[in-house]
Amino acid sequence: VECAMFSMGFMAVVPAHLMRSVGGGYDNESVAVTAMTLTFFLWIRSLRNNEQYSWMFGLLAGVAYFYMVAAWGGYIFVLNLIGAHAAFLVLLGRFSTKVYLAYTLFYVVGTALAIQVPVVGWSPLKSLEQLPACAVFLGYQILQYCEIQRKKNKLSRKEAWKLRVQVSLAALVAVTVLVVLVTPQSYFGPISSRVRGLFVPHTKTGNPLVDSVAEHQAASNQAYWQYLNILCFLAPMGFLIVLFRFGDAACFLFVYALFAYFFSHKMVRLVLLTAPIASSLGGIAVGRIVAWSVSVLLGENSEDEEKKDSKKVNGTSEKLKSDGKSKSDGKKKKDKKSSSSNAGGLSGITAIHDGFVEASRSTEGKIVKAIAAVIMLGSLYMQATSFKTYSWKISASLSNPSIILKGQTREGNIIKVDDYREAYWWLRDNTPADARIMAWWDYGYQITGIANRTTIADGNTWNHEHIALLGKALTGSVEEGYQIARHLADYVLIWGGGGGDDLAKSPHLARIANSVYRDHCPGDVTCRAFGFVDRKGTPSAMMERSFLYNLHSHKLKPGVMVDPAKFEPVYRSKYGKVRIYKILGVSQQSKKWVKENRQCDAGGWFCPGKYPPGLKQILDTKKDFAQLEDFNRGDSDEEYQKEYFENLNNPALAKKRAAIKREESGVDESVTKKLDQPVKAKILSDEEKIEIYSTWEDTDDTTLMWKIVNGNAVDDLERWLQADPGAAWLRSGDGRGPMWWAFESKNQDIVTILMKVGVPHSDKDKNGQTPVDLLKE
């Protein structure tokens, strides 16, 4: 009971759960965590040994699994985890009719309901990601059939094993024949790029769309501490305790812990999956410690031991009386056996254990145990107070709406930046109900939900080719982007204002576009020719010609103006975070055609739609993206994948290729040479330092600075500060900068460098901590 109480307490406040459970969260995971934990609870409940019909909970677990399938694509993790646990029970020799019924009901009911979800369909029986659980189901049927035959025909152990081997081989042959027959028909679906990325040694998947998402990168130690805090220490303690009480349920916690750590380590987003298991294991550890400490302080532990000893003595005396003569007759034999036993390797350990037990029963031993109990309870109280305070602060930051930000003016005043929501409201109130909005896919669902307008891409990544077309429109030339946009949309919404705006993301957009439209960046799979050529924000020739750059920098950069015959600026937010343009010359013919040729499944749940004929010329140049695992395609894309990974693993080579492309596209060679020359350091004014230091935002620069400081790359830092002394004053969204990170990593050399340029070490971050406070931790 005490373990359950502490587990619930941890789960209620641990940041790994809070990040998807705070009020107002609209991600699928906000619902899915509840569905996942309910499924796991019912599965464990179905394995109880002391109840005749506990396996019926396996049926309910199947229903809860259906809830999970309807909520989130992470249902694949739930399915395979339960399948792996069922298989592990077989390896441990714990297969029984109860376990068979529980898993069979779970799989049959869960799968039958899952295929009713339109987006899932028959994938549970076709996708390689979900077939392992199906294989376990078939294995269970074989084992149960053999078990029935063993009991029916009263087979010996050897005969039973022979039967299992024979039936398994027959089943294997049948499955092999079936696979050979259906594989040429493209029956089996490939492993997705996201799942593949969890098993490859590098952090990239080969799919630029998946690789562009920050949450798909590997988790760091800092990420675990940020989202789990003290559970990073308590959960391993609970894990060890579980190993000493290894029942069916404890076995599930063991398997879950291994799976959760492996997958969360590969993808930081999946730290979410560690919340339930870390809370459970942490609750077990704290529950056991508290229970033992309280029993010691109340004297219950000593009384229980005395009762056990009394029963043991009484039982021994009764046994001695009943044995009587037989003990006397076998005295020599027993003495010999006793001496042999004492010579064994465990006798010493037993003696040490008995010595500790005897010592703990003495007055001094009881005092020592009481002191230890008080220290442990006091330590837990202090840690719990710290954890509560930390979780409370994290909850405040997680509870803030993601589209309403806090900012700071040059005068130091705190302001509310509500540009995004106000822009969506403007769309809602000032555009026709059937208006179509072109914007990058990241925030398409915000446009749909808040502006109530149709968006070209709504935040999902199911259709790689469609998002690539959107990327081609945004990062292609103005004319090319316009010709695509006029057939698909009525308005274009651009995120600006610096930080993580559309221009900062645009190299990813170009890379995604090139994965499908190979003429977008010819011979340059990672589109290094598209981007900034220096830290001053100078665009490359390709970026400067792009649709996105011109709309983003309209009248903000010298000489940048949109064509008034193609675009009309209709809205600019208060702080310049959002700009909206009306597309002039929209093809009404294409708009009408799309509306009339819309296709939906039964009930209108899923409407894929079709492209208008006006885009045929552009669409004819595309090559559907073939990920590494898609063996159903007749053609492969090995050359693309090879060069993609080469460029990611060898940025110098990629940069050289991009320079050649710039030269071919008309960039003056003298410009390229100038960029490679050392930059003369400039002196920052106090006003410039204050402006940089008072701007708190997560950017590529702050990420790079964090890596340099934590990696103790002193030379790289010095070169950077020589070229751009303002980098020393950078601060991320949580208010921390290089000085905080240097103290946190105990890097004295970098602290010295930063102090020399005047960076203070007594200012506070978002949570009120100074760099020195991190050193004390």
Side-chain angles (χ1 to χ4, degrees), residues 620-661:
D620 285 345
T621 65
K622 77 182 178 73
K623 178 181 181 180
D624 288 350
F625 182 73
Q627 62 190 45
L628 293 177
E629 312 78 9
D630 199 347
F631 48 79
N632 286 328
R633 296 179 184 267
D635 56 341
S636 62
D637 218 351
E638 292 180 5
E639 239 179 85
Y640 171 86
Q641 296 288 350
K642 180 181 178 182
E643 188 176 348
Y644 179 84
F645 283 116
E646 268 183 10
N647 283 11
L648 292 179
N649 295 327
N650 192 343
L653 176 62
K655 184 179 179 181
K656 185 177 180 180
R657 288 173 176 166
I660 294 173
K661 294 301 173 186

Side-chain angles (χ1 to χ4, degrees), residues 385-413:
T385 303
S386 174
F387 180 58
K388 185 199 74 171
T389 303
Y390 175 79
S391 299
W392 185 260
K393 290 180 179 179
I394 291 292
S395 69
S397 61
L398 292 174
S399 298
N400 292 329
S402 59
I403 60 173
I404 302 177
L405 310 174
K406 280 185 179 180
Q408 194 171 19
T409 64
R410 295 181 180 181
E411 294 76 23
N413 299 322

Side-chain angles (χ1 to χ4, degrees), residues 302-316:
S302 300
E303 292 177 6
D304 291 341
E305 288 177 355
E306 288 174 4
K307 289 180 180 178
K308 288 180 182 178
D309 291 342
S310 175
K311 289 181 179 178
K312 185 176 179 181
V313 171
N314 292 336
T316 303

Side-chain angles (χ1 to χ4, degrees), residues 10 52 75 177 195 211 341 377 410 495 530 575 584 619:
F10 282 128
Q52 184 178 0
Y75 71 89
V177 171
V195 173
D211 293 341
S341 176
L377 289 176
R410 295 181 180 181
W495 273 23
F530 187 99
Y575 296 103
L584 305 178
L619 294 173

Side-chain angles (χ1 to χ4, degrees), residues 709-754:
V709 174
N710 279 271
N712 194 26
V714 177
D715 293 339
D716 291 339
L717 178 63
E718 289 178 336
R719 281 196 296 269
W720 188 0
L721 295 183
Q722 182 180 3
D724 181 10
W729 300 84
L730 290 171
R731 297 179 76 175
S732 59
D734 59 2
R736 296 185 179 182
M739 186 63 82
W740 276 265
W741 302 324
F743 269 91
E744 187 176 27
S745 58
K746 298 179 176 60
N747 195 320
Q748 184 61 44
D749 292 337
I750 291 181
V751 169
T752 303
I753 292 172
L754 295 173

Side-chain angles (χ1 to χ4, degrees), residues 661-706:
K661 294 301 173 186
R662 286 200 300 271
E663 185 179 346
E664 292 175 350
S665 62
V667 178
D668 191 351
E669 180 65 23
S670 62
V671 175
T672 305
K673 289 180 179 179
K674 185 178 179 181
L675 293 175
D676 293 332
Q677 292 177 355
V679 181
K680 184 178 179 181
K682 71 170 187 176
I683 299 175
L684 291 178
S685 66
D686 290 340
E687 290 76 14
E688 288 175 313
K689 291 178 182 178
I690 293 172
E691 181 179 356
I692 298 172
Y693 199 61
S694 61
T695 302
W696 297 7
E697 58 182 1
D698 295 321
T699 65
D700 292 339
D701 286 344
T702 56
T703 301
L704 178 59
M705 179 60 76
W706 180 84

Side-chain angles (χ1 to χ4, degrees), residues 231-251:
L231 290 179
C232 291
F233 301 109
L234 294 175
M237 293 171 58
F239 184 82
L240 293 176
I241 293 173
V242 162
L243 295 180
F244 289 96
R245 293 175 174 268
F246 213 59
D248 290 348
C251 171

Side-chain angles (χ1 to χ4, degrees), residues 38 146 156 164 169 176 317 327 359 372 396 413 439 496 498 580 619 640 676 679 685 775:
L38 176 62
C146 293
S156 64
R164 291 186 188 117
L169 288 175
T176 302
S317 61
K327 180 180 178 182
N413 299 322
I580 300 175
L619 294 173
Y640 171 86
D676 293 332
V679 181
S685 66
L775 181 64

